[in-house]
Amino acid sequence: MGEAVKDYQREEVIQAWYLDDNYEDGQKLPHHKNPKEFVSLDKLAELGVLSWRLDADNYETDEELKYIRESRGYSYMDICEVCPEKLPNYEAKVKMFFEEHLHIDEEIRYCLAGSGYFDVRDLNDVWIRVWVKRGGMIVFPAGIYHRFTVDSNNYMKAMRLFVGGPVWTPYNRPHDHLPARKAYMDTFVKVDMGTVP
């Protein structure tokens, strides 16, 4: 299958755009700028954000998922459902997930059902909203500031993958002193952290 076809198929399950930053009507809406400013998956990759379209119907036997897990060392896996019926203290948790934070390890999410928004900062510190739908797998590098919310459907079933055991510790912004953040900045932003305001 050609790369152009694969990119098109990924864009069916992962779309990105610049946010309008107006959340008066809630964090679970698309919040497109006017006019809309879409962001390519290549631009996300420049930020270290990787993505795939996988077969959510056959995730237990999917050879491409198996290859990704083996080649990237994702040895631990679990499945979580973010919805009012399955997640205790749902509204408080969704609000907590929406706090801007980073992790010292990659964050890997594979959407098996439903959909949700992952917001990341571009190189100018502007929010990009990444809509991940069923079949979309996304990897956020260690040290990138991000946040998550379900969309207005209030449901996402996701596979969480980790290198080694699960690590869920969020470091809410600002945590620019962490080695993971410094490594991210050195790799993707290439500025001296001492000069960043």
Side-chain angles (χ1 to χ4, degrees), residues 4 8 10 23 28 40 45 65 70 85 91 94-95 125 147 155-157 173 183 190 195:
Y8 173 77
R10 267 191 313 155
Y23 304 110
K28 299 176 184 178
S40 71
L65 175 61
E70 288 174 357
E85 300 80 19
E91 290 300 332
V94 169
K95 188 174 182 175
D125 215 31
R147 61 189 182 188
Y155 182 75
M156 184 174 194
K157 180 179 181 179
R173 191 169 192 176
K190 298 180 179 39
T195 63

Side-chain angles (χ1 to χ4, degrees), residues 7-18 30 32 36-41 44 51 116-119 128-133 136 138:
D7 284 347
Y8 173 77
Q9 289 177 338
R10 267 191 313 155
E11 290 170 356
E12 289 179 338
V13 297
I14 301 170
Q15 298 171 355
W17 55 84
Y18 281 103
H32 283 281
K36 294 178 181 179
E37 287 183 59
F38 288 95
V39 175
S40 71
L41 298 179
L44 289 180
S51 61
Y117 298 123
F118 295 88
D119 298 340
I128 296 172
R129 174 147 283 186
V130 183
W131 191 19
V132 180
K133 298 180 270 187
I138 196 154

Side-chain angles (χ1 to χ4, degrees), residues 44-192:
L44 289 180
E46 290 173 11
L47 300 173
V49 178
L50 306 177
S51 61
W52 293 265
R53 180 184 182 151
L54 300 173
D55 183 359
D57 288 330
N58 299 300
Y59 68 89
E60 293 171 333
T61 59
D62 184 356
E63 288 298 319
E64 188 172 6
L65 175 61
K66 180 180 176 185
Y67 173 78
I68 293 167
R69 288 187 65 184
E70 288 174 357
S71 65
R72 297 185 64 83
Y74 302 151
S75 55
Y76 182 90
M77 177 273 292
D78 69 10
I79 294 176
C80 69
E81 290 182 273
V82 180
C83 63
E85 300 80 19
K86 303 276 182 155
L87 186 63
N89 303 314
Y90 175 75
E91 290 300 332
K93 290 273 176 76
V94 169
K95 188 174 182 175
M96 180 185 74
F97 296 155
F98 200 62
E99 289 291 322
E100 183 176 7
H101 63 278
L102 61 80
H103 301 285
I104 60 171
D105 297 297
E106 288 182 332
E107 179 170 318
I108 306 103
R109 298 295 182 264
Y110 175 16
C111 182
L112 301 175
S115 52
Y117 298 123
F118 295 88
D119 298 340
V120 298
R121 297 279 190 177
D122 74 1
L123 299 181
N124 295 311
D125 215 31
V126 179
W127 282 117
I128 296 172
R129 174 147 283 186
V130 183
W131 191 19
V132 180
K133 298 180 270 187
R134 186 174 179 274
M137 181 172 159
I138 196 154
V139 176
F140 299 98
I144 192 172
Y145 282 116
H146 65 284
R147 61 189 182 188
F148 168 77
T149 186
V150 289
D151 58 21
S152 58
N153 293 317
N154 282 311
Y155 182 75
M156 184 174 194
K157 180 179 181 179
M159 176 184 292
R160 300 182 296 190
L161 297 162
F162 300 89
V163 175
V167 178
W168 292 293
T169 307
Y171 296 91
N172 289 352
R173 191 169 192 176
H175 266 84
D176 293 337
H177 65 281
L178 291 176
R181 179 63 180 170
K182 290 179 180 181
Y184 176 79
M185 297 297 286
D186 288 346
T187 302
F188 296 102
V189 183
K190 298 180 179 39
V191 297
D192 178 5

